């Protein structure tokens, strides 16, 4: 019957099956980040990496390097978890027939994206931050926050994110580690692509965290006087802030209309983190950045270059 069905009907049937599969993969997609967090905590990506370029290891070989109580059970669980990462192109997978007539075993290697999940400069700390209980608890308050126009983080933890960070040194370290490893990756790229620090005498990093980005800039431009401006629990003494003619803003730019590119997804994913975690924090479209620059008295606004998906923008005053 199906063969005789008109092509459009066939297409509709296929489309519905495809859509159903797509819908279920969306509904179950939280497994990916939960698995990735545990794999990072177990240092499995590091174990595969240390086995050498192009290495593929069996779950049993990986389990043998972990402090397991029951290595057979660990290997079996790892296999199922690593398959999720392979399904999402984070790992590669090859099949090997066992010498006896047993089942075929899966061997796992690093896919190209893993270069950004290998210590020390990697997005692993960002995964650990965003999957930390303090962050995930926040999401359960998003629906009520939307209805009340309030911050989900405040509903979950009774204070703003930055107030909370001053009270919880464990989470503060998780947060600062994520920020500084992220900054190292993006700042390295920015210093390759952007020469607008040339000739500056003083540079103030607003919300500069533990100072990683500023240190990297000053290492390349040693004559710049760097000021790291952040909250007291991050740095003890508040420095003086001079009004400069040039403000360099590094941020993601949201496209006007939603897109499915990785870069548009990063910008809107981070925008939702701002929405949930920070009072008033948000990512912006290029037009919104321009309006922000002009609204606070800068005469010119230019997107100068990119560092990966991060855009480097200059707000300039004429003088
Ligand atoms: C998203 S983190 C960025 C950290 C840093 N730029 C980096 O890349 O590592 C934002 C920073 O802004 C700081 N911050 C938040 N509110 C602030 C305020 N009112 N004054 C100064 N710094 C603030 C936080 O302490 C935090 O270090």
């Amino acid at each position: 019957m199906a063969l005789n069905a008109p092509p459009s009907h066939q297409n509709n049937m296929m489309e519905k099956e495809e859509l159903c599969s797509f819908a279920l993969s969306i509904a179950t997609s939280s497994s990916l980040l939960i698995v990735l967090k545990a794999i990072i905590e177990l240092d499995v990506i590091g174990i595969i990496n240390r086995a050498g370029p192009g290495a593929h290891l069996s779950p049993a070989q990986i389990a043998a390097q972990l402090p397991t109580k029951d290595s057979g059970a660990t290997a079996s669980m790892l296999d199922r978890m690593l398959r999720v990462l392979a399904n999402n192109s984070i790992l590669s997978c090859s099949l090997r027939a066992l010498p006896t007539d047993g089942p075929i075993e899966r061997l796992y290697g690093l896919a190209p994206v893993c270069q950004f999940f290998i210590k020390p400069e990697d997005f692993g700390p960002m995964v650990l931050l965003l999957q930390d209980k303090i962050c995930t608890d926040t999401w359960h308050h998003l629906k009520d926050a939307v209805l009340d126009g309030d911050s989900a983080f405040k509903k979950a933890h009774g204070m703003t994110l930055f107030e909370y960070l001053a009270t919880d040194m464990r989470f503060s370290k998780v947060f600062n580690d994520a920020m500084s490893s992220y900054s190292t990756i993006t700042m390295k790229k920015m210093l390759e692509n952007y020469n607008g620090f040339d000739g500056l005498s003083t540079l103030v990093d607003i919300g500069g965290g533990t100072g990683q980005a500023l240190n990297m800039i000053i290492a390349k431009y040693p004559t710049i006087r760097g000021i790291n401006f952040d909250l007291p629990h991050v740095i003890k003494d508040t420095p003086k802030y001079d009004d400069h003619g040039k403000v360099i803003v590094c941020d993601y730019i949201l496209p006007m209309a939603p897109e499915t590119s990785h870069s548009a997804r990063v910008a809107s994913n981070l925008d939702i983190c701002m929405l949930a975690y920070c009072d008033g924090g948000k990512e912006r479209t290029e037009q919104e950045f321009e309006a922000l620059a002009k609204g606070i008295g800068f005469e010119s606004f230019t997107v100068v270059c990119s560092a990966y998906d991060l855009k480097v923008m200059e707000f300039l005053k004429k003088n």
Side-chain angles (χ1 to χ4, degrees), residues 143-183:
K143 181 206 69 173
D144 291 334
V146 168
L147 296 176
D148 297 353
D150 201 355
S151 137
F153 191 94
K154 241 198 253 167
K155 280 189 178 292
H157 302 290
M159 57 188 100
T160 69
L161 168 66
F162 295 115
E163 286 165 348
Y164 182 83
L165 282 163
T167 69
D168 181 343
M169 287 307 108
R170 180 204 65 83
F171 182 62
S172 180
K173 180 166 179 352
V174 173
F175 182 89
N176 289 334
D177 286 352
M179 292 306 130
S180 109
S181 62
Y182 161 84
S183 289

Side-chain angles (χ1 to χ4, degrees), residues 62-295:
I62 297 168
Q65 298 192 46
L66 295 174
T68 57
K69 287 199 174 131
D70 173 350
S71 61
T74 301
S76 158
M77 290 165 89
L78 278 177
D79 187 22
R80 293 159 68 184
M81 292 164 75
L82 297 175
R83 179 167 49 194
V84 171
L85 300 188
N87 285 340
N88 286 279
S89 309
I90 296 172
L91 295 181
S92 56
C93 180
S94 54
L95 300 178
R96 179 169 70 182
L98 290 173
T100 51
D101 268 357
I104 284 176
E105 83 175 331
R106 282 175 285 278
L107 305 178
Y108 295 96
L110 303 185
V113 73
C114 275
Q115 65 190 284
F116 290 105
F117 289 107
I118 295 170
K119 290 171 184 172
E121 291 162 15
D122 66 310
F123 293 128
M126 185 66 82
V127 175
L128 298 184
L129 168 65
L130 296 177
Q131 297 308 309
D132 191 283
K133 196 173 177 319
I134 298 301
C135 287
T136 55
D137 281 353
T138 303
W139 296 112
H140 299 291
H141 297 265
L142 187 57
K143 181 206 69 173
D144 291 334
V146 168
L147 296 176
D148 297 353
D150 201 355
S151 137
F153 191 94
K154 241 198 253 167
K155 280 189 178 292
H157 302 290
M159 57 188 100
T160 69
L161 168 66
F162 295 115
E163 286 165 348
Y164 182 83
L165 282 163
T167 69
D168 181 343
M169 287 307 108
R170 180 204 65 83
F171 182 62
S172 180
K173 180 166 179 352
V174 173
F175 182 89
N176 289 334
D177 286 352
M179 292 306 130
S180 109
S181 62
Y182 161 84
S183 289
T184 306
I185 298 169
T186 49
M187 184 50 70
K188 222 180 207 176
K189 193 71 180 169
M190 182 174 168
L191 287 170
E192 282 168 30
N193 295 353
Y194 179 65
N195 58 15
F197 296 117
D198 215 1
L200 293 186
S201 55
T202 307
L203 180 66
V204 185
D205 192 357
I206 308 289
T210 52
Q212 181 68 11
L214 196 56
N215 278 343
M216 290 173 74
I217 298 166
I218 288 167
K220 182 162 178 189
Y221 300 96
T223 57
I224 292 179
R225 178 173 161 250
I227 299 172
N228 192 15
F229 183 87
D230 208 292
L231 291 170
H233 71 271
V234 182
I235 34 175
K236 298 284 177 283
D237 303 312
T238 305
K240 273 192 192 154
Y241 171 46
D242 306 323
D243 182 22
H244 292 278
K246 169 154 117 177
V247 168
I248 303 158
V249 176
C250 302
D251 212 336
Y252 296 90
I253 296 186
L254 283 165
M256 278 304 279
E259 285 173 19
T260 55
S261 64
H262 285 311
S263 106
R265 282 190 186 147
V266 169
S268 66
N269 287 347
L270 289 176
D271 185 52
I272 293 306
C273 289
M274 304 286 164
L275 180 150
Y277 302 141
C278 307
D279 278 348
K282 62 179 190 174
E283 302 297 350
R284 293 173 169 82
T285 61
E286 189 171 330
Q287 288 81 351
E288 287 169 335
F289 271 117
E290 180 155 18
L292 176 71
K294 305 268 166 82

